[in-house]
């Protein structure tokens, strides 16, 4: 049940892009069938035609189909208020027996389209397909946004965060040479140490962004981002443990989306345990690195992770497996070929094990290159950065 009106309710589906705002009468007579129409996922909210539309609905929608009673001033005022307050949303007026003058008046007011009530699937599909084409044309004309690179772990303890912090700092140096900025979000809300690994002790963390609510903007984001000597901006994990299930999917996705408008590359260090929001972020990422090690437990879990991502529709070419801590010795119980056979795909990226070098860098909070200018680890990290450039079609 929704909190905004006792006689209102909302069906909430993660990732829905179309909101249907209808009175109880129109909900009962609608014939649009399943919750996906024309490739759009739908939410339906029962709200009477004179009542305001809650901000939470407008915030998450790309398209709103809203019931309008032309003979009721409050209903028309609600429609105009919604359109004026949310110019980026495609607002479609749903009207019973719409006349030509009514349609013309609504379109002059800035409404994208008009659809007849009661809603039927074919009409809804036609209108939504038209909206999709308009939105895609608009997106193509927008300034390109940054790319998201997510790091996930097969199991805890594979050294993913240590690897990510070193790689992200190196990549930030590359980006700075190209005239761009990079950012790292430590979203391991219960065990994040990315800032510590780079010798940074920020006073503000991702908690401030989560608490910002409507105040969240580029200024707030910049105030929370701590800058490393490499040029990498870091959004640190909370200073106190935070339950991962308290974070809203829309909330965290909005934060990352805002970051892509400010930084050309956004790295995400995600928790070991899957949540709705971490799955959503992976699905929206441009590149996903799955960090594993040469152990049966890690490889078997990686196999499960890959199967889950494939089931959720994450393109397999976006996911790259990286084997960490590879020892260069002649006889190994498990080698890279065994790992590839186990998970069912070729592994092309690995990082040499050098515990002493990596541990020294982490304890000092510095980059590996500051300790040893040339090393097998740095060489392998640069191969990883080359893979990012290739996958993001950069150079």
């Amino acid at each position: 049940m929704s909190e905004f009106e006792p006689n209102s309710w909302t069906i909430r589906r993660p990732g829905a892009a179309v909101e249907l705002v209808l009175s109880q009468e129109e909900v009962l007579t609608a014939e649009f069938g399943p919750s996906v129409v024309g490739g759009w996922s739908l939410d339906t909210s029962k709200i009477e035609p004179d009542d305001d539309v809650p901000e939470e609905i407008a915030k998450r929608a790309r398209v709103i189909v809203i019931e309008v009673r032309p003979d009721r001033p409050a209903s028309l005022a609600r429609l105009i208020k919604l359109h004026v307050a949310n110019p980026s949303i495609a607002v479609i007026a749903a009207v019973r027996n719409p006349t030509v003058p009514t349609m013309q008046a609504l379109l002059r007011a800035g409404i994208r389209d008009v659809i007849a009530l009661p809603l039927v699937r074919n009409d809804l599909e036609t209108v939504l397909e038209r909206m999709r084409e308009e939105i895609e044309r608009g997106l193509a004309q927008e300034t390109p946004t940054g790319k998201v690179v997510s790091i996930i772990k097969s199991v805890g303890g594979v050294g993913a965060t240590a690897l990510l912090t070193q790689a992200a700092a190196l990549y930030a140096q590359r980006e700075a040479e190209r005239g761009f900025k990079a950012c790292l979000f430590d979203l391991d809300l219960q065990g994040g140490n990315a800032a510590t690994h780079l010798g940074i002790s920020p006073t503000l963390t991702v908690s401030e962004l989560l608490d910002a609510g409507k105040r969240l903007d580029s200024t707030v984001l910049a105030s929370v981002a701590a800058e490393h000597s490499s040029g990498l901006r870091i959004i640190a994990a909370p200073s106190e443990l935070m339950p991962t299930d308290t974070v809203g999917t829309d909330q965290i996705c909005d934060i990352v989306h805002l970051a892509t408008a400010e930084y050309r590359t956004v790295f995400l260090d995600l928790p070991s345990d899957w949540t709705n929001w971490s799955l959503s972020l992976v699905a929206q990422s441009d590149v996903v690195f799955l960090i594993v090690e040469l152990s049966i437990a890690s490889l078997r879990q990686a196999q499960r992770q890959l199967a889950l991502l494939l089931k959720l529709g994450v393109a397999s070419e976006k996911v790259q497996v990286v084997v960490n801590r590879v020892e260069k010795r002649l006889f190994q119980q498990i080698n890279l070929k065994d790992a590839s056979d186990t998970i069912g795909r070729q592994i092309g990226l690995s990082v040499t094990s050098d515990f002493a070098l990596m541990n020294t860098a982490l304890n000092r909070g510095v980059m590996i290159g500051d300790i040893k200018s040339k090393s097998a680890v740095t060489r392998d990290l640069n191969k990883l950065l080359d893979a990012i450039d290739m996958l993001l079609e950069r150079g």
Side-chain angles (χ1 to χ4, degrees), residues 332-354:
Q332 295 177 310
Q333 290 184 328
I334 305 174
N335 56 34
L336 290 176
K337 183 180 182 303
D338 296 329
S340 296
D341 292 341
T342 299
I343 65 174
R345 61 187 295 173
Q346 186 65 36
I347 297 175
L349 295 168
S350 62
V351 179
T352 301
S353 177
D354 191 333

Side-chain angles (χ1 to χ4, degrees), residues 166 170 351-352 357 367-370 372-385:
Q166 295 291 322
L170 282 172
V351 179
T352 301
L357 178 59
M367 295 174 64
I368 288 175
D370 295 336
K372 189 175 182 179
S373 58
K374 293 183 179 180
S375 67
V377 177
T378 300
R379 178 202 63 207
D380 293 339
L381 287 174
N382 278 308
K383 289 181 180 179
L384 182 63
L385 306 192

Side-chain angles (χ1 to χ4, degrees), residues 23-71:
S23 63
Q24 181 175 6
E25 175 187 353
E26 296 298 345
V27 169
L28 293 175
T29 57
E31 299 177 0
F32 49 82
S35 62
V36 176
V37 176
W40 293 91
S41 179
L42 308 179
D43 277 354
T44 303
S45 296
K46 185 185 78 67
I47 303 173
E48 292 309 303
D50 293 346
D51 296 340
D52 286 340
V53 178
E55 291 183 5
E56 64 188 68
I57 290 178
K59 182 179 179 181
R60 67 189 182 226
R62 299 301 302 277
V63 178
I64 294 182
V65 180
I66 182 169
E67 180 181 351
V68 179
R69 302 280 181 90
D71 59 334

